[in-house]
Amino acid sequence: MAEDTSTAAGTRHGVLFDVDGTLVDSNYQHTMAWWQAFRRFGHDVPLAEIHRAIGMGGDKLVEHLLGEDRDTDQDADLDATHSALFSSYWPGLRAFEGAGDLLRRCADDGLIVVLASSSSQQEVGVSRGIIDADAAISAATSSSDAENSKPSPDILQAALDAGGLDAANTVFVGDSVWDVEAAGALGIPTVGLASGGTSEAELREAGAVTVYRDIRALLGAFDEGPLHRLTAAATTA
């Protein structure tokens, strides 16, 4: 656990991080796992359509891709099959270059760092091991922490609560339009990363305040961006 950098009288400033496609290069593995799961249940869903839905929670993704008139009795089995198939990719998953450095930079600069994931607790644990920056992480969420998944804002509210943060003093870093929409519902500005396969134009159109190609680009421009302004506020709080 990261050291609590707030004071009893001071305001806590923090940054919430999406995980898949933002810190860990896993969006395309999720896409393949969903494609295989759909095929096993007789659904031929194009890979491109699945990829564009990655970032939604599993329940929302299934409804989005199969429609409201689907056999909803399959939903839980589809989600479980996706999870089982995705687990076969765990040994080959890698963090994006600079992911751990970014978390440590934020924590060292006085920010509360929270992983805002709606993956299972086991998957979050795997991702934390891959990122290898646990000393910088103050809290993390998983699917059990929210009733509704992204683009609903529930998981981000759970992340705020876990970090003792409020939306006015927080920035979210994510890679999908669903991330941006969820954060926007709470008034949290989003720094977008194009590393998950969503274009800069789409992220900006969804409402991202700024977009970087990847974590290395964000780190390179750290002193001029929203995270630096947040750290400056944290040091004067």
Side-chain angles (χ1 to χ4, degrees):
M1 298 288 284
E3 180 183 355
D4 186 349
T5 55
S6 63
T7 64
T11 300
R12 298 166 71 95
H13 294 74
V15 55
L16 312 182
F17 285 94
D18 175 59
V19 177
D20 290 305
T22 299
L23 298 174
V24 178
D25 191 1
S26 53
N27 278 5
Y28 292 95
Q29 290 89 335
H30 273 297
T31 298
M32 284 300 301
W34 276 114
W35 181 78
Q36 291 174 291
F38 284 131
R39 292 282 297 228
R40 291 190 183 188
F41 285 84
H43 305 291
D44 190 8
V45 183
L47 282 164
E49 292 184 16
I50 297 172
H51 174 257
R52 294 183 65 81
I54 297 299
M56 288 183 169
D59 55 336
K60 299 287 180 65
L61 181 146
V62 171
E63 180 178 356
H64 178 75
L65 292 172
L66 298 186
E68 295 182 356
D69 59 349
R70 72 195 183 283
D71 178 5
T72 56
D73 289 341
Q74 292 183 348
D75 286 10
D77 289 335
L78 277 166
D79 199 3
T81 301
H82 156 263
S83 296
L85 290 165
F86 180 66
S87 68
S88 69
Y89 292 107
W90 288 353
L93 292 180
R94 296 292 182 269
F96 286 110
E97 184 182 0
D101 293 337
L102 177 59
L103 299 191
R104 285 185 286 269
R105 171 71 185 270
C106 290
D108 289 346
D109 284 2
L111 297 180
I112 303 299
V113 173
V114 182
L115 302 187
S117 174
S118 55
S119 295
S120 70
Q121 192 169 27
Q122 187 177 17
E123 287 182 13
V124 173
V126 170
S127 294
R128 291 182 70 153
I130 293 167
I131 297 164
D132 192 24
D134 260 10
I137 300 170
S138 292
T141 64
S142 67
S143 56
S144 61
D145 294 313
E147 182 176 352
N148 297 302
S149 60
K150 289 182 292 186
S152 297
D154 298 25
I155 200 67
L156 296 188
Q157 183 60 59
L160 290 175
D161 295 342
L165 300 164
D166 60 75
N169 299 304
T170 303
V171 168
F172 180 48
V173 181
D175 69 288
S176 74
V177 296
W178 319 113
D179 291 331
V180 183
E181 288 182 16
L186 296 177
I188 303 172
T190 299
V191 173
L193 295 178
S195 51
T198 300
S199 71
E200 176 180 351
E202 290 173 297
L203 292 169
R204 288 190 181 277
E205 184 177 357
V209 295
T210 188
V211 179
Y212 298 94
R213 181 182 68 254
D214 53 25
I215 286 174
R216 275 299 173 199
L218 190 162
L219 273 169
F222 194 96
D223 290 338
E224 293 80 41
L227 296 183
H228 177 68
R229 291 192 289 273
L230 195 62
T231 62
T235 59
T236 59

